[in-house]
Amino acid sequence: MIKAVLAVLTVVVVVLGLLWVFQRRLIYLPDAGPVPPAASVLPGARDVTLTTADGLRLGAWYLPGDRGVTVLVMGGNAGNRAYRAPLAAALAREGFAVLLMDYRGYGGNPGSPTEEGLALDARAARATLSGRILYFGESLGAAVATRLAAEIPPDGLLLRSPFTDLADAGQHAYPFLPVRLLLRDRFPLKERLAAVRAPTTIVYGSRDTIIPPALSRAAAPEGARLVEVKDAGHNDRVLLDGPELLAAVVELAQRV
């Protein structure tokens, strides 16, 4: 009996140890391969380089617009900027300029993603822009955008499928694990959002099984505008460049 208990405990310790060491491979799912030139994907776009405070040079795409407002897009934990090209094209049709950034380790960029690293990447992207700016954060990128908004206020903030903090999102995905105890990158979105004074819109899907709607609503501070996209799941196209999402960006821009 004692040997069996010890064997089980050993397995548990080994599993938890592996999760501690390799947890960032579960959090960050980059498409690390190189992306094509911006203009070959988005006519009129150009490639730009962002230089971070710790010396990395990161590729990004910039698409000009004539509305006088730039949308800085901070993507989610998967893919790279090419995956968000339909969003950039849709925003450009509404007259917005768009900066599609990629984090370290994504889209051919050097480095490995961490919470602090992504914050540095977002600051580097913001440093290239001037004028009226909206921050657009998608899922994990909503936490990155919120942190940036608390440090460098935008004219408006749109969060697509945000969560309260990464531990809550992780506990939903892995209910059998002590996520809060193990987590290294915490992304306390709700806590930081309370300090943001910019007009804020939160967009979420009513059938999101990755970030449950209740978690997105719980992240919202008093006064934030909530937009629920009916029957939309986390990775559905309607939450990338659908009409409700675009209307929310346009409405936010009109408010600022």
Side-chain angles (χ1 to χ4, degrees):
M1 180 66 179
I2 294 177
K3 288 183 178 180
V5 171
L6 289 175
V8 170
L9 289 176
T10 299
V11 170
V12 169
V13 169
V14 169
V15 169
L16 292 179
L18 290 172
L19 287 171
W20 171 259
V21 172
F22 295 109
Q23 62 181 266
R24 286 181 173 139
R25 295 189 183 182
L26 299 176
I27 297 171
Y28 307 104
L29 305 171
D31 183 335
V35 297
S40 70
V41 180
L42 294 166
R46 65 176 183 266
D47 294 285
V48 296
T49 300
L50 316 174
T51 303
T52 67
D54 58 348
L56 295 183
R57 290 172 60 82
L58 308 178
W61 290 347
Y62 179 76
L63 189 60
D66 56 14
R67 195 183 187 109
V69 179
T70 301
V71 181
L72 170 54
V73 177
M74 288 160 261
N77 69 320
N80 59 41
R81 59 191 180 276
Y83 291 56
R84 280 95 195 170
L87 170 63
L91 291 171
R93 287 193 293 270
E94 297 291 340
F96 294 102
V98 184
L99 180 60
L100 281 181
M101 63 171 293
D102 254 339
Y103 308 121
R104 58 191 64 204
Y106 287 71
N109 285 335
S112 298
T114 65
E115 181 178 2
E116 293 305 313
L118 268 56
L120 292 176
D121 303 342
R123 287 180 210 137
R126 176 61 181 84
T128 68
L129 301 175
S130 60
R132 292 195 297 161
I133 301 170
L134 304 181
Y135 296 167
F136 182 113
E138 170 204 324
S139 193
L140 184 75
V144 179
T146 298
R147 178 169 178 173
L148 183 64
E151 297 170 351
I152 309 173
D155 293 285
L157 175 66
L158 190 141
L159 306 178
R160 200 279 265 178
S161 308
F163 45 75
T164 46
D165 60 35
L166 191 59
D168 286 340
Q171 199 65 68
H172 170 76
Y174 304 102
F176 49 87
L177 293 175
V179 173
R180 194 169 295 278
L181 179 65
L182 292 172
L183 203 59
R184 298 162 72 182
D185 292 351
R186 309 197 73 84
F187 292 99
L189 189 156
K190 182 176 181 178
E191 176 185 324
R192 288 180 172 139
L193 189 54
V196 174
R197 296 294 172 257
T200 300
T201 296
I202 290 176
V203 180
Y204 61 94
S206 68
R207 292 193 177 183
D208 194 329
T209 58
I210 295 176
I211 305 296
L215 210 55
S216 291
R217 290 192 295 267
E222 185 177 353
R225 180 173 181 248
L226 295 175
V227 177
E228 181 179 273
V229 181
K230 298 295 184 183
D231 298 323
H234 192 79
N235 293 314
D236 287 355
R237 179 67 183 260
V238 71
L239 284 179
L240 175 63
D241 62 349
E244 296 97 332
L245 180 67
L246 290 175
V249 179
V250 170
E251 189 278 337
L252 180 61
Q254 291 170 342
R255 275 196 280 157
V256 305

